[in-house]
Amino acid sequence: MSGKYDTQHPLPAGSQRGETYNPMLPQIEKLVTVMRGIGEKYGVSPAQVALAWAIAKGTTPIIGVTKVSQVQDAVKAMRISLTIEEINQMEMVAEETGVDTRGSWEMPMI
C-alpha cells in the first residue's frame, strides 16, 4: 500500500490493477490516512510504514525494486521502530476495512 492511490487518485481505469483494486479504495482510505499520519511522524511514506509494520511483525518482506530510490526507501523503513500503539492502530483500522487481498495460498499473519 503505497498511499499513491486513493478515491481521488485511482489506478488507471481499464488496467488489471485498476479493475482489482479501485473498488477497494473507499474501504481502505481510512487505513491509508492512518499510515500517512504515522509516516509523517517518521518522515516516510505509507509504503515505508507498511514495510516497517511487516518487519515489526517478524517477517522478512520480499520487495521488488527497479530503482535505486526504492532500495533507499526500504532502508529507511528498516530504520523505523513502530510503537505498539501504532501497530495496534494500523491493525485495528485494517481489520475494520474488511478487505483481504491475500491469495488463497497465503497464511494469515498472527
Side-chain angles (χ1 to χ4, degrees), residues 44-61:
V44 299
S45 70
Q48 291 163 309
V49 171
L51 186 53
W53 172 84
I55 293 167
K57 297 302 279 185
T59 69
T60 303

Side-chain angles (χ1 to χ4, degrees), residues 20-21 24 53 95 98-110:
T20 300
Y21 296 109
M24 297 177 194
W53 172 84
E95 184 71 27
V99 172
D100 185 353
T101 60
R102 288 180 300 218
S104 59
W105 65 92
E106 296 177 272
M107 302 299 291
M109 291 182 67
I110 299 174

Side-chain angles (χ1 to χ4, degrees), residues 48-74:
Q48 291 163 309
V49 171
L51 186 53
W53 172 84
I55 293 167
K57 297 302 279 185
T59 69
T60 303
I62 299 171
I63 57 172
V65 295
T66 57
K67 300 176 186 132
V68 171
S69 63
Q70 293 168 321
V71 175
Q72 293 166 336
D73 286 348

